[in-house]
Amino acid sequence: MIDIDFLIVFIFILAVNYILLNSLAKKHSFFNKGLVNKLYWFHVAFFVIYFIYGLANRSDSYEYYFDALNMGESWGSQFRSGTVFISFFAAPLVNIGLSFLSVSFIFSWMGYIGFVYAYVYFKENIPIDVKVFGRFDLLTLLLFLPNMHFWTASIGKGSMIFMGLMLFTYAIKFPQKRIFTLIIGGFFIYMVRPHVMLFVLVGVMVGILFGKGKTSIGIKLLVIVASIGFLAAASSSILAVAKLENSENVVEDFEEFTGATAAKLKSSADSGVSMSNYPLPLKLFTFWFRPLFIDSPGIVGQFSSIENLIYLLLFAKIINMRFVRFILKAPYMVKMSAIVFLLSSFALTFVMSNLGIIMRQKSMVMYFGFFVIYYFLGLEKWKYLEKMKQKNIESVTTV
């Protein structure tokens, strides 16, 4: 039986969603409310699927909820980055009497917000439509990838950090105009995973310094100085994630930490893979494209394998020299996305040795890789259309 508080939360979120989507539609002429509304109900379906899955397979969501329920008077002292922030954020919701179902739905909605801003992030920077595999619209395909929705539809880090990443990435294109969105996105990234905030800011700085764009010198300096200042101020918290804040040899201690973490994750489930001895290319391949049917852990893994095959086919489209020339001259949003994708992937491959956790973790970074692919394919299509247009003009002139 559905609790009355869930119905209230459900209706409230519908109202907030209506206001948000109308606001974005006014700001962006390309915004397709019909598509984004379909995306909402698709995500809600995965909220239901994950909830049922969680009943049979006890997930971390329950632990976050009960930790929030038991915080009591210690709540204020729990404000810090990392796993505890999930329960800290949920505690006020729990304390006003919201059920597990209601709190789960709020977190799921946060995941949906990530998809909304991913859509704007792609469409604002790549106005041209791209078809893949013969007849599928690439952006629609990317937005409706089941695995992405499954891992962002519950209480946990996945929904919150995905929202933060997409808010921040959307805002960084025009930071002076979108400062509020930038701060909110950055806050959630840092509070959930401080080290991912490091990757994002490095990507921003590299993109602005070496990417093409019309950003003014003043804005570039402001973003770089702010990023460096933040990294300096937050360096202890970021290093503390790997217990390196008091380290005298960061590299050696990081290797020891990642080895211990990988062994712990491998032993915690029956889907472990021994990646410690893999060469880096194979580690990255495992992180991006596995499981692939033969090593899929359970039914969820089989569905994930289908999606991973799509990833593999999409990435195959950039294995050529045209892409190399493109990335060297790419705009700063593309270079930023590429750096965030590669740095995050590189770091996570050293601690991931469990296919189930890999499926969950990579959902927060794959859209950065997809953006680079989408931009490249969009540019290729634009060049082709321009070439055909020029041929038509020449043929008309000749006649």
Side-chain angles (χ1 to χ4, degrees):
M1 184 174 178
I2 296 177
D3 299 321
I4 187 67
D5 65 283
F6 176 76
L7 292 176
I8 294 171
V9 167
F10 187 83
I11 293 169
F12 176 76
I13 284 180
L14 273 179
V16 173
N17 224 40
Y18 178 80
I19 294 169
L20 174 65
L21 299 190
N22 279 334
S23 175
L24 288 171
K26 289 179 180 178
K27 290 179 183 176
H28 306 288
S29 59
F30 59 77
F31 195 84
N32 186 337
K33 282 199 294 183
L35 175 65
V36 180
N37 273 317
K38 289 176 184 176
L39 188 64
Y40 173 77
W41 294 110
F42 185 76
H43 193 72
V44 169
F46 274 89
F47 163 74
V48 175
I49 291 169
Y50 189 93
F51 188 81
I52 295 171
Y53 169 83
L55 295 176
N57 303 272
R58 191 80 171 182
S59 68
D60 293 341
S61 299
Y62 289 95
E63 292 187 24
Y64 289 128
Y65 181 83
F66 288 114
D67 284 348
L69 189 64
N70 295 323
M71 273 190 176
E73 294 181 0
S74 68
W75 177 73
S77 63
Q78 300 300 313
F79 180 71
R80 58 181 183 272
S81 60
T83 301
V84 71
F85 180 72
I86 306 301
S87 298
F88 174 87
F89 184 86
L93 303 173
V94 174
N95 288 334
I96 63 173
L98 294 187
S99 63
F100 175 74
L101 186 65
S102 297
V103 177
S104 296
F105 192 73
I106 291 171
F107 272 81
S108 177
W109 180 71
M110 294 172 77
Y112 165 73
I113 293 301
F115 287 100
V116 172
Y117 279 90
Y119 165 71
V120 180
Y121 156 49
F122 275 67
K123 202 69 178 174
E124 184 178 46
N125 290 282
I126 316 162
I128 194 167
D129 293 329
V130 177
K131 300 287 184 183
V132 292
F133 312 134
R135 59 192 181 91
F136 295 100
D137 178 74
L138 178 55
L139 182 54
T140 303
L141 178 66
L142 295 176
L143 289 174
F144 287 87
L145 289 170
N147 193 56
M148 297 296 184
H149 289 269
F150 184 80
W151 296 115
T152 55
S154 63
I155 302 175
K157 295 179 181 179
S159 56
M160 190 174 282
I161 195 168
F162 182 60
M163 179 189 72
L165 284 166
M166 294 302 104
L167 286 172
F168 186 92
T169 308
Y170 162 76
I172 200 64
K173 184 176 176 69
F174 300 110
Q176 72 280 23
K177 296 179 182 178
R178 301 169 180 173
I179 186 66
F180 184 64
T181 305
L182 189 74
I183 291 171
I184 292 177
F187 171 78
F188 280 109
I189 298 169
Y190 175 75
M191 293 307 297
V192 178
R193 296 189 186 279
H195 54 293
V196 174
M197 192 69 214
L198 167 66
F199 305 148
V200 170
L201 291 179
V202 170
V204 168
M205 288 188 286
V206 172
I208 284 180
L209 286 173
F210 300 104
K212 287 188 174 183
K214 298 179 180 179
T215 309
S216 67
I217 298 296
I219 294 297
K220 287 183 178 182
L221 288 174
L222 177 64
V223 171
I224 291 171
V225 170
S227 298
I228 293 173
F230 176 83
L231 289 174
S235 58
S236 295
S237 297
I238 293 170
L239 290 173
V241 173
K243 299 179 175 61
L244 301 176
E245 65 271 34
N246 298 315
S247 174
E248 295 181 2
N249 189 329
V250 173
V251 174
E252 184 177 316
D253 289 346
F254 175 74
E255 290 177 350
E256 183 178 337
F257 168 79
T258 55
T261 304
K264 182 180 178 181
L265 291 175
K266 185 176 185 297
S267 64
S268 66
D270 58 5
S271 59
V273 288
S274 189
M275 287 173 60
S276 58
N277 296 321
Y278 285 8
L280 181 59
L282 189 52
K283 282 185 177 182
L284 291 173
F285 181 89
T286 298
F287 180 71
W288 293 335
F289 308 123
R290 288 178 68 186
L292 272 175
F293 301 108
I294 59 172
D295 55 7
S296 300
I299 296 175
V300 175
Q302 290 296 326
F303 280 103
S304 185
S305 294
I306 297 171
E307 198 164 305
N308 285 335
L309 179 60
I310 294 173
Y311 299 172
L312 191 57
L313 294 174
L314 288 175
F315 274 75
K317 291 180 178 295
I318 63 173
I319 304 177
N320 53 63
M321 286 307 298
R322 297 192 309 280
F323 177 76
V324 175
R325 291 191 291 269
F326 156 76
I327 203 68
L328 291 174
K329 298 179 180 179
Y332 80 90
M333 288 295 289
V334 175
K335 287 192 174 177
M336 179 201 77
S337 298
I339 293 296
V340 173
F341 176 69
L342 291 173
L343 279 179
S344 301
S345 300
F346 178 79
L348 289 170
T349 58
F350 282 90
V351 295
M352 296 293 104
S353 58
N354 178 300
L355 290 177
I357 295 175
I358 285 173
M359 288 189 295
R360 187 187 315 171
Q361 294 286 342
K362 69 182 178 185
S363 64
M364 68 177 173
V365 299
M366 291 304 291
Y367 274 94
F368 290 102
F370 295 152
F371 178 81
V372 176
I373 296 170
Y374 194 164
Y375 201 106
F376 171 68
L377 296 178
L379 186 62
E380 290 277 286
K381 181 178 178 179
W382 179 82
K383 287 180 178 178
Y384 172 77
L385 293 175
E386 285 296 303
K387 185 178 179 180
M388 296 305 296
K389 182 180 177 181
Q390 187 62 36
K391 280 186 177 181
N392 291 335
I393 292 173
E394 290 175 356
S395 63
V396 170
T397 304
T398 303
V399 172

